[in-house]
Amino acid sequence: MTEPMTARPARNWRYLAWIRTLPCLVCGASRGIEASHTGPHGLGQKSPDSSAIPLCTRHHRTGKDSYHKLGPRKFAELHNLDIPAIVGRLNQKPFIRIETGMFIGYLEDQQYMLGMTAEGIASAVRRMTRLCGEDRRCRNLRR
């Protein structure tokens, strides 16, 4: 009898590269950032890349108060982090709509006027990309 096949977790190297551009959720460091997988995982298998959060080396693996030393629950409690909410926020997909001759960007519950349709979609996409980066870096992801 063969063993049942288990689905492999989703891998996305671009998403992990983006996570590593964000500051550490604990100390705000911008150097030595690692994509820390936080979702469920089994023996010899990582959780999906979409569960990753940005942590510096110290808060991910090496410090006394690191994710790997404390475990998910104690780490989240000590640093006052709502990890499922953070993962959900990092995975939010922005979108752009055309409304009355304007490009309007939506990110979570926020609306952004990105420009007139006559200016073209490229400039609206650039503005939305910049807004997403600023929003996710500046907005407090803690509880």
Side-chain angles (χ1 to χ4, degrees), residues 109-129:
D109 57 349
Q110 299 293 314
Q111 240 179 298
Y112 303 94
M113 204 288 259
L114 303 173
M116 303 303 290
T117 54
E119 297 173 24
I121 186 73
S123 63
V125 170
R126 279 193 300 273
R127 287 183 186 123
M128 191 68 192
T129 302

Side-chain angles (χ1 to χ4, degrees), residues 77-95:
E77 287 173 7
L78 177 67
H79 297 295
N80 195 30
L81 298 172
D82 182 348
I83 292 176
I86 292 167
V87 168
R89 180 150 169 53
L90 290 170
N91 281 278
Q92 281 282 280
K93 305 277 190 275
F95 64 94

Side-chain angles (χ1 to χ4, degrees), residues 19-88:
I19 289 291
R20 290 189 294 268
T21 68
L22 301 173
C24 175
L25 288 174
V26 176
C27 67
S30 58
R31 295 185 151 212
I33 300 300
E34 299 175 350
S36 174
H37 290 83
T38 62
H41 56 282
L43 196 57
Q45 188 175 24
K46 283 189 174 185
S47 61
D49 289 346
S50 61
S51 75
I53 60 173
L55 295 175
C56 66
T57 303
R58 187 177 129 234
H59 288 113
H60 182 204
R61 297 178 291 117
T62 63
K64 290 179 182 176
D65 61 344
S66 72
Y67 186 84
H68 282 266
K69 295 254 171 50
L70 296 176
R73 189 177 49 69
K74 285 184 180 175
F75 179 81
E77 287 173 7
L78 177 67
H79 297 295
N80 195 30
L81 298 172
D82 182 348
I83 292 176
I86 292 167
V87 168

